Amino acid sequence: MLQKIVQNAGALLDVNSCSIALTDMQNGALITRAAIQKNGHRTRQTRFQLNEGVAGWVAENRQPLIIKDARLDPRFKRLGRSPVGSIICVPLIDSGNFIGTLTASSSDVEVLDEDKLQMLTIFAEQAVLAIMNARHAELAQRQTSQLEMLLNLSQDLTTRLESEALYRTILVDAHRLVPCQRATIYSYDVEVQQLCSVAELLETTTQPSQSSQPSQSSQQPQPVPSIQPSQPSQASQQSQVGDYQVLTNADVQRECISLYDETSATAWAGVHRHPMVKASRDEADVAEITTPLVSKNVLYGVIVLQRRESFTSEELRLVRNLSNMAAAALENMELFQKVRSDQEQLRAVLQASSDGIAIMSATGSFVEVNPAFGQIFGLDPQQMVGMEYMELFDADEELPVETRVNLEQVSAALQQQQMLPHIEIDLNVNGVPRSIGISVTPVTTVSKPFSLVIARDVTAIRDATRIKANFLSMITHELRSPLNAINGYLDLALAGIAGDLNAQQREFVQRARASSENLYALVEDLLFISRADSGRLRLSRDITSLREVVANAVEELELMAVDNNVSISVTIPADFPPIYADAVRLQQVLRNLLSNALRFTPPGGGVEIAASTFIRVSDADPSLDLQDTNEKMALVTVHDTGCGIPSEYHEHIFERFYQVTQPNAGRVSGQGLGLAIVKMIVELHGGQIAVESTPGEGSTFSFTLPCLLS
């Protein structure tokens, strides 16, 4: 298009030499873009500074110039061998903005006059319109091409999830979008607040651009600025792509810049989250664009582009768009690596765990099984994947009743996605009896629910518990015989069989008898605990009267109540029906509760034992027409006016060997087994026990017995 303009201008003025020069957007110099000479020869591009030659004078003064005799005008400067007699030069101005010059010349003097100057001025206005339309079309085409390139780059970046490949892609795409001699990516380390170089692109051959051609005013070679690459380390990876190479170094950081280094443009861009542009001051300087890589207000790094020529505002816009996409890709890569790291961590934990861990789908099949789980059940973990839970937890009719019941509980928990805290099952694994503890935990996720099954081989623990219980049971049995003998002889001594005792001797024997009785009670409690742990504790139920059981318990502790100056009252209806229970164990329950009440009630206080009946509505389906849907229950309460128990201890007082230290109560007697035994006996009867207590107001222990006869 420019060549056509100069040809038409030459034809219009009937001259054989015509040229058009346009301004360089970077430094404002004039560069000859199109020209015709005699015989149709084209001249090479020439660079003019302002006020240099005729075109330079027109550019600076923004007005047309006619020289009828070039030999007499000092503004004329010969550029070639062709003679020039007269010359016309007009400015090209668009909306007040100077964009270039249009020059026509003739070898004869006094050939170009004011009429031809006016003709060229009018022609120049039309040329400006053509040039601007061509520029707008070129800009639209370039922006369309850049948009397509950005879309392709975006797709290219989103497919890279490894750091080395992503860094290389960002650098190659940046070089493709904005030509540069060097590009560097700095990764931000938030822990040390430093920007460290992780990848670099460097041109291996530097081609001089058209804009850097020497001007006609100076034929001396210009110095070329040096862009030195950083020395690659042994850990870096190099790849040659065309005329440039990419260095990536993910392990060894070659250059680290403090984020708050005030002398560094790279640090400034990272701190302020804003790009920074440095123009080249002269041909020996290096231009630089420094752009932060920020996504969702999180700094991931900085990318730096360098070259000899200054960067344009359009290139800055492209780099900012690329940096936004690169930052999003770095964020995706970081999320991907975090997810992968978490998965690898989880898989390592599963593989190394000594507990068997299995993940089961909502349909009841094994999704993942760790080696310990397969070892516990004697199966290959890989073969268990896809297996239905019924194949492993099937309640076979040949199994013991307790084992079948436990397996059915596990199956129900898996099928109904319910929590099963812990259950122990006795199974034969490859012909060897094993005790396996199993827990089921339902897990709900966004995608789909699943169940987490934890299995642990507790055979050794159960065997050790049984051995301990048997040993304890044997020891307590062996202690009962000598204690009975001690108690018997002490009773004979107190009866005077061996002679009369003086007052001091009687006191000593009575103290020995009381201590022996306490020791006997402790032995009985330990024996009870050992039987319960070994599963050998059985109830001897029979039809009995609750009033008689309460009376016997009160009689046992009547002397203790008198000594402590505490009254005991019993409120049980005379027509209270008989119950079907173990009278000895039930009396032990009342004795332990009454003993605690007397021990913690101050002198002058009181203890009340009451019993009543109520109807407990069953959860059974009424349509089944069962006779036992409404169950009659007995409720027994022991209330005292003692010091009370703080609420934070209510959950623990029924644990073994747990004691609550009361202020101003001195040393607490007992071993902390009484309430634990009470809870065991009540639950063996199918009942429940609870406590209500307020410090300073006393305590009320209540237990129910579902064994009332109608």
Side-chain angles (χ1 to χ4, degrees):
M1 187 268 296
L2 294 176
Q3 193 66 30
K4 193 171 184 180
I5 289 176
V6 296
Q7 290 175 354
N8 292 338
L12 178 66
L13 300 182
D14 192 19
V15 295
N16 293 327
S17 178
C18 187
S19 64
I20 186 169
L22 299 179
T23 56
D24 188 346
M25 301 300 294
Q26 294 183 4
N27 52 28
L30 280 172
I31 302 177
T32 303
R33 296 299 186 186
I36 60 170
Q37 291 180 320
K38 290 182 178 181
N39 301 324
H41 291 217
R42 294 183 182 180
T43 173
R44 63 178 180 177
Q45 293 183 351
T46 306
R47 180 184 295 271
F48 296 93
Q49 299 298 329
L50 293 183
N51 205 21
E52 181 182 1
V54 174
W57 186 92
V58 172
E60 185 177 21
N61 293 275
R62 308 291 176 92
Q63 60 183 8
L65 176 66
I66 179 172
I67 299 177
K68 296 181 179 181
D69 190 348
R71 295 172 299 178
L72 304 177
D73 197 310
R75 290 171 295 188
F76 171 72
K77 188 174 185 179
R78 179 183 294 275
L79 298 178
R81 298 179 180 178
S82 300
V84 177
S86 55
I87 186 169
I88 294 178
C89 183
V90 296
L92 301 176
I93 298 177
D94 175 57
S95 300
N97 297 320
F98 177 80
I99 65 172
T101 60
L102 180 59
T103 305
S105 63
S106 175
S107 59
D108 299 327
V109 298
E110 303 292 338
V111 173
L112 302 176
D113 54 15
E114 281 73 10
D115 292 337
K116 291 188 177 182
L117 175 62
Q118 185 177 5
M119 292 171 58
L120 187 61
T121 301
I122 296 174
F123 181 83
E125 294 176 356
Q126 301 300 317
V128 167
L129 293 177
I131 291 173
M132 296 310 299
N133 289 336
R135 283 186 173 181
H136 291 157
E138 182 183 0
L139 177 62
Q141 183 179 3
R142 186 168 66 250
Q143 289 179 343
T144 302
S145 177
Q146 290 172 352
L147 180 59
E148 293 179 356
M149 185 180 294
L150 286 173
L151 291 175
N152 294 332
L153 296 182
S154 176
Q155 296 175 357
D156 195 20
L157 289 175
T158 54
T159 59
R160 302 291 189 268
L161 295 175
E162 299 294 338
S163 60
E164 299 290 342
L166 180 57
Y167 293 146
R168 186 179 294 106
T169 302
I170 293 174
L171 292 177
V172 172
D173 290 346
H175 183 271
R176 187 187 312 165
L177 201 61
V178 179
C180 57
Q181 274 84 45
R182 179 180 179 183
T184 307
I185 293 178
Y186 292 86
S187 177
Y188 178 53
D189 190 338
V190 66
E191 293 184 358
V192 296
Q193 295 187 338
Q194 286 185 340
L195 292 164
C196 299
S197 60
V198 293
E200 182 183 54
L201 177 145
L202 187 75
E203 282 194 350
T204 55
T205 59
T206 303
Q207 300 293 338
S209 64
Q210 293 179 350
S211 61
S212 62
Q213 293 289 343
S215 69
Q216 295 295 328
S217 61
S218 176
Q219 299 295 331
Q220 296 299 323
Q222 299 296 320
V224 178
S226 176
I227 302 179
Q228 296 295 335
S230 60
Q231 293 298 325
S233 65
Q234 295 180 353
S236 66
Q237 298 181 1
Q238 302 184 31
S239 60
Q240 184 75 30
V241 183
D243 293 336
Y244 56 87
Q245 65 176 352
V246 179
L247 308 176
T248 57
N249 184 4
D251 299 324
V252 179
Q253 308 300 336
R254 297 168 306 210
E255 179 186 7
C256 290
I257 303 172
S258 172
L259 189 64
Y260 302 101
D261 186 352
E262 298 179 354
T263 63
S264 171
T266 304
W268 188 95
V271 169
H272 296 280
R273 308 291 201 272
H274 195 277
M276 188 174 184
V277 181
K278 172 192 171 187
S280 57
R281 294 183 296 271
D282 50 46
E283 294 184 358
D285 198 7
V286 175
E288 185 175 278
I289 288 183
T290 306
T291 309
L293 303 174
V294 179
S295 178
K296 298 177 183 178
N297 204 30
V298 176
L299 178 65
Y300 289 93
V302 174
I303 182 170
V304 180
L305 305 183
Q306 294 176 329
R307 72 182 185 192
R308 297 178 178 87
E309 301 82 13
S310 296
F311 293 94
T312 65
S313 59
E314 178 67 15
E315 289 174 328
L316 174 61
R317 182 184 65 83
L318 293 175
V319 174
R320 294 187 68 171
N321 290 336
L322 176 64
S323 67
N324 292 334
M325 292 187 297
L330 289 171
E331 180 187 13
N332 292 336
M333 180 195 71
E334 187 174 283
L335 291 175
F336 170 77
Q337 291 181 346
K338 184 178 185 305
V339 170
R340 184 171 63 178
S341 176
D342 291 345
Q343 289 178 344
E344 291 176 352
Q345 249 182 357
L346 178 59
R347 194 169 300 278
V349 170
L350 290 177
Q351 294 294 322
S353 175
S354 59
D355 289 341
I357 302 175
I359 299 175
M360 303 201 67
S361 66
T363 59
S365 60
F366 288 96
V367 176
E368 189 166 354
V369 177
N370 74 335
F373 195 92
Q375 184 178 4
I376 290 173
F377 290 95
L379 297 173
D380 186 356
Q382 296 182 353
Q383 294 179 353
M384 295 183 70
V385 175
M387 180 189 297
E388 298 292 332
Y389 74 91
M390 290 298 297
E391 300 181 43
L392 188 64
F393 300 121
D394 185 21
D396 194 347
E397 293 294 335
E398 298 180 357
L399 295 174
V401 176
E402 184 179 357
T403 301
R404 289 206 311 270
V405 171
N406 291 338
L407 287 174
E408 289 172 356
Q409 291 183 24
V410 175
S411 299
L414 292 172
Q415 188 175 7
Q416 301 171 14
Q417 290 284 302
Q418 293 180 347
M419 171 78 74
L420 183 64
H422 183 77
I423 191 170
E424 293 185 2
I425 304 176
D426 292 331
L427 295 174
N428 283 327
V429 179
N430 296 331
V432 180
R434 314 294 296 176
S435 294
I436 301 174
I438 297 177
S439 64
V440 178
T441 304
V443 180
T444 303
T445 61
V446 178
S447 56
K448 54 185 177 181
F450 63 90
S451 294
L452 182 66
V453 182
I454 307 290
R456 174 179 294 180
D457 191 340
V458 295
T459 305
I461 298 176
R462 177 170 289 191
D463 291 344
T465 302
R466 289 173 178 170
I467 293 174
K468 182 185 69 174
N470 292 335
F471 175 76
L472 187 60
S473 177
M474 179 190 68
I475 293 298
T476 51
H477 271 293
E478 294 297 326
L479 288 174
R480 292 176 71 185
S481 298
L483 283 176
N484 286 330
I486 292 172
N487 290 338
Y489 281 111
L490 290 175
D491 289 340
L492 291 177
L494 289 173
I497 300 301
D500 295 334
L501 301 176
N502 56 35
Q504 187 179 28
Q505 291 174 337
R506 180 169 295 277
E507 181 184 357
F508 288 167
V509 174
Q510 286 176 343
R511 289 181 179 275
R513 182 66 175 84
S515 297
S516 178
E517 190 66 31
N518 290 335
L519 181 58
Y520 189 83
L522 174 60
V523 170
E524 286 294 320
D525 288 345
L526 292 175
L527 183 60
F528 181 90
I529 295 293
S530 67
R531 288 176 179 173
D533 290 342
S534 62
R536 294 184 290 109
L537 184 62
R538 299 291 183 268
L539 296 178
S540 299
R541 298 174 186 256
D542 200 357
I543 298 176
T544 185
S545 170
L546 182 61
R547 289 171 58 88
E548 292 183 3
V549 174
V550 172
N552 292 335
V554 171
E555 184 179 358
E556 282 189 75
L557 298 172
E558 188 173 3
L559 291 178
M560 180 180 179
V562 172
D563 292 341
N564 293 347
N565 191 21
V566 176
S567 62
I568 300 177
S569 61
V570 178
T571 305
I572 299 178
D575 58 347
F576 197 90
I579 60 175
Y580 184 68
D582 188 330
V584 175
R585 295 303 178 190
L586 191 56
Q587 183 175 331
Q588 187 178 2
V589 169
L590 291 168
R591 181 172 62 247
N592 289 351
L593 293 177
L594 187 57
S595 174
N596 284 345
L598 293 174
R599 190 161 53 238
F600 293 104
T601 300
V607 178
E608 179 185 7
I609 302 175
S612 60
T613 61
F614 69 97
I615 302 297
R616 182 175 67 179
V617 180
S618 175
D619 296 333
D621 189 351
S623 62
L624 298 177
D625 193 22
L626 299 176
Q627 296 181 356
D628 295 335
T629 54
N630 294 333
E631 189 176 10
K632 295 180 180 180
M633 304 289 294
L635 175 64
V636 183
T637 61
V638 178
H639 174 73
D640 63 66
T641 59
C643 56
I645 305 172
S647 59
E648 59 266 23
Y649 299 125
H650 290 183
E651 296 181 0
H652 304 288
I653 57 176
F654 295 103
E655 298 174 2
R656 298 180 187 181
F657 306 107
Y658 190 88
Q659 292 180 314
V660 179
T661 303
Q662 297 290 353
N664 303 323
R667 182 181 179 273
V668 179
S669 60
Q671 291 73 37
L673 292 174
L675 290 179
I677 292 174
V678 167
K679 186 173 183 291
M680 288 182 187
I681 296 175
V682 170
E683 290 179 351
L684 280 174
H685 280 85
Q688 295 178 338
I689 187 168
V691 60
E692 295 179 2
S693 181
T694 303
E697 299 181 7
S699 304
T700 300
F701 286 85
S702 305
F703 63 91
T704 60
L705 297 173
C707 46
L708 187 67
L709 291 178
S710 59

